[in-house]
Amino acid sequence: MYDVLIIGSGPGGYVAAIRAGQCGLKVGVVEKNPLLGGCCLHVGCIPTKAMLHAADVYELFLHGAEQGIEAENVRVNWARILGRKNQIIQKHAKGLEGLFRKHKVETIHGYGKLLGKGRVEVKGPEGLREVEAKNVILATGSEARMLPGLDPDPERILTNIEILDLEQIPKSLGIIGAGAVGVEFASIYRRFGSEVTILEMLPRLVPVEDEDVSAELARQFRKQGIESRTGARVEQVEKRPECVEVEYQDADGRAQKLCVEKLLVAVGRKPNTDSIGLENTAIRADRGFVPVDPYMATAEPGVYAIGDIVAASPQLAHVASMEGLVAVGRLAGKPVRPVNYRRIPGCTYCEPQIGSVGLTEAQARKEGYPVKVGKFSFAANSKASILGSHGGFIKIVAEEKYGEILGAHIIGPQATELVCEMVTAIESEATVESMMSTIHAHPTLSEAMGDAFNAIYGLAING
Ligand code: NAD
């Protein structure tokens, strides 16, 4: 009998398992894949960032002459890029096995299904077995959603999985959806030479971000030669011998066609809850998503849910991890704070990167806050000049009277790292005033943060 059995070993499940081990609980993890790590490690966060890094390196070499570094005959070894990506995945999957050994976490290979009353069926390579646990944590993650009526085709109509291992860089790539998946793959393949066209149904790229960030990304993508068609409603996709043909209605309601060698469908992810035995419990999923209380407990006693399957929770690895810590702390009887969903960093690794936390300006105004905004462009930051990366800005959204920081929105160099300061600031309830008197080292990109806060009162020194 396990104290806790976790189904799924992604960033939700493995973090929960290690914490359960640290609490001295007897813990098992059911994993259907031979390797630990889930989508994030194998077909999500990690491989995409490895490919994005390769694109960064290639770009540096291509434009090295601007910085006095001249290289001839720079070329892409695609097989080596994919090989390095795979090595990174393997290394970290092995690392997880080591961590599991260290924390006495048992791995049970197979597909887990709830049978009710603390019993879980595991269908594994050696057949069926039943496992008992005092608590179960569901951490089964999600998979790419397809457009209705469209079948994926591993050769030409791709999801986040197939696009990671293409034999060659496609001449042209169409991308449906300008969320994180869409814009990250646009940034990978454009820089390796593909003609990239994005079709986004909503009026702007990265629609969950602040509107100024979307506008800046559209501008930068245009400069890079990425074609963004927003307000584009995809109606039909046909596989022709010469190309994949996408029929869509443009923003003016006119019928348009796009012909591409490969098509990536990046229109969101659906929770993996169809066949995990929810019907044997009191859990009533909402379009596949599992409702939970603030401590991740479901309607079924002793069953918790974390990560991409949770209703009204953003599908992000670091959210899954924190939800895992909350669930384990709760079931282990430790003091634990629920996740504050307004303090979650969003990091999108397109070029330029985006890092954001808290409310956008429009959301803050809609919530009725008296809003003050400070904005500072990287064009006036000396470290950005040194890096040769000037595009973008930092935008701070603050409450006018008490200087509460409501949100921070960064697009530009190292935005995914810079946003961490803002998460800490908001988490520790720093104010605009305390951030204005925080010393930022010189020369750094984070100096732009100090300038952005000062800009709220028209006091930015460098801009
Ligand atoms: P998403 O929901 O973030 O974006 C999908 C986009 O597709 C939306 O902008 C939507 O308007 C658009 N869309 C939907 N149907 C369409 C249609 N028929 N025609 C044109 N556009 C259409 O989904 P995603 O980008 O697939 O990502 C899935 C999840 O994974 C998200 O929660 C995302 O945040 C997460 N993710 C995060 C990262 C990161 O943090 N760096 C990276 C990848 C994915």
Side-chain angles (χ1 to χ4, degrees):
M1 164 83 83
Y2 289 98
D3 291 317
V4 54
L5 188 72
I6 298 163
I7 307 182
S9 71
Y14 90 73
V15 168
I18 291 169
R19 178 53 54 86
Q22 289 168 334
C23 291
L25 301 176
K26 184 172 163 53
V27 50
V29 170
V30 183
E31 173 53 62
K32 67 178 164 46
N33 292 328
L35 292 174
L36 301 172
C39 270
C40 163
L41 176 56
H42 295 278
V43 291
C45 321
I46 304 302
T48 48
K49 272 73 237 174
M51 291 168 85
L52 280 154
H53 175 69
D56 288 346
V57 173
Y58 181 46
E59 234 195 342
L60 261 183
F61 273 96
L62 285 181
H63 301 294
E66 290 159 24
Q67 299 182 34
I69 309 292
E70 294 177 4
E72 279 163 22
N73 199 16
V74 177
R75 59 206 182 277
V76 171
N77 181 338
W78 187 239
R80 179 76 196 105
I81 290 173
L82 299 190
R84 180 172 183 272
K85 156 187 80 77
N86 293 338
Q87 277 168 3
I88 295 168
I89 295 170
Q90 297 290 327
K91 175 181 163 211
H92 284 269
K94 289 281 163 222
L96 285 180
E97 287 174 13
L99 285 172
F100 274 19
R101 273 194 301 278
K102 180 175 169 195
H103 295 286
K104 300 190 171 50
V105 176
E106 290 173 31
T107 305
I108 306 167
H109 286 289
Y111 192 95
K113 183 175 173 186
L114 295 167
L115 296 175
K117 309 231 174 332
R119 290 179 307 125
V120 173
E121 173 196 277
V122 181
K123 195 186 216 170
E126 278 118 49
L128 274 187
R129 68 183 270 208
E130 209 175 291
V131 186
E132 281 190 300
K134 290 182 197 151
N135 297 283
V136 177
I137 299 180
L138 302 173
T140 50
S142 62
E143 63 177 26
R145 197 162 69 74
M146 265 291 133
L147 291 175
L150 178 62
D151 291 326
D153 156 4
E155 291 299 319
R156 297 200 289 167
I157 301 178
L158 315 171
T159 69
N160 64 298
I161 298 179
E162 301 79 32
I163 195 165
L164 293 173
D165 286 298
L166 297 181
E167 275 174 22
Q168 285 175 347
I169 298 162
K171 288 210 166 41
S172 59
L173 173 67
I175 298 177
I176 308 181
V181 172
V183 298
E184 288 185 0
F185 279 109
S187 287
I188 293 172
Y189 281 98
R190 176 63 196 146
R191 287 183 293 164
F192 286 126
S194 301
E195 289 297 322
V196 175
T197 308
I198 303 178
L199 301 176
E200 165 59 52
M201 185 170 70
L202 295 176
R204 58 193 176 99
L205 303 179
V206 285
V208 297
E209 299 293 342
D210 189 275
E211 287 181 26
D212 289 352
V213 168
S214 296
E216 177 66 17
L217 186 66
R219 208 173 66 82
Q220 300 269 349
F221 269 12
R222 203 174 310 125
K223 269 172 63 182
Q224 296 169 25
I226 294 173
E227 169 90 31
S228 307
R229 301 184 188 165
T230 51
R233 183 175 293 276
V234 172
E235 295 190 323
Q236 196 152 357
V237 176
E238 295 285 349
K239 283 190 275 182
R240 306 254 180 247
E242 67 288 4
C243 72
V244 180
E245 190 178 86
V246 187
E247 290 175 27
Y248 67 96
Q249 216 180 68
D250 70 14
D252 301 320
R254 287 187 301 244
Q256 302 282 3
K257 277 185 188 165
L258 173 72
C259 245
V260 285
E261 182 184 328
K262 307 271 183 196
L263 178 69
L264 171 67
V265 182
V267 296
R269 298 183 64 80
K270 67 175 172 120
N272 292 330
T273 51
D274 283 354
S275 35
I276 58 168
L278 296 185
E279 65 283 4
N280 300 322
T281 70
I283 298 169
R284 293 295 161 260
D286 175 10
R287 283 160 296 146
F289 290 98
V290 177
V292 293
D293 76 3
Y295 297 95
M296 315 317 296
T298 68
E300 177 76 7
V303 178
Y304 296 75
I306 61 174
D308 286 6
I309 64 171
V310 173
S313 169
Q315 293 178 305
L316 297 171
H318 42 282
V319 174
S321 301
M322 190 53 81
E323 290 174 343
L325 297 180
V326 169
V328 171
R330 182 69 163 181
L331 66 87
K334 309 272 185 210
V336 67
R337 264 195 315 167
V339 174
N340 184 334
Y341 289 94
R342 294 178 85 136
R343 294 178 181 170
I344 291 171
C347 291
T348 308
Y349 298 75
C350 46
E351 174 53 40
Q353 294 187 352
I354 300 169
S356 61
V357 57
L359 300 181
T360 64
E361 184 180 350
Q363 285 166 341
R365 291 192 192 284
K366 197 166 167 211
E367 290 197 10
Y369 284 101
V371 170
K372 271 234 175 266
V373 169
K375 205 167 168 188
F376 187 79
S377 160
F378 285 109
N381 175 271
S382 51
K383 184 67 187 285
S385 298
I386 293 164
L387 296 175
S389 184
H390 266 141
F393 56 79
I394 298 179
K395 174 175 175 178
I396 307 293
V397 180
E399 186 273 342
E400 190 171 5
K401 193 162 171 216
Y402 300 103
E404 182 187 354
I405 306 165
L406 301 173
H409 307 277
I410 310 168
I411 178 165
Q414 297 297 327
T416 58
E417 299 291 339
L418 291 173
V419 72
C420 302
E421 178 184 2
M422 290 317 304
V423 184
T424 311
I426 293 178
E427 186 63 35
S428 47
E429 296 177 358
T431 61
V432 171
E433 282 68 23
S434 61
M435 291 306 293
M436 284 170 74
S437 54
T438 297
I439 300 175
H440 291 90
H442 177 72
T444 58
L445 294 171
S446 63
E447 266 178 300
M449 194 70 83
D451 273 317
F453 275 99
N454 279 285
I456 291 174
Y457 296 109
L459 293 173
I461 296 297
N462 298 294

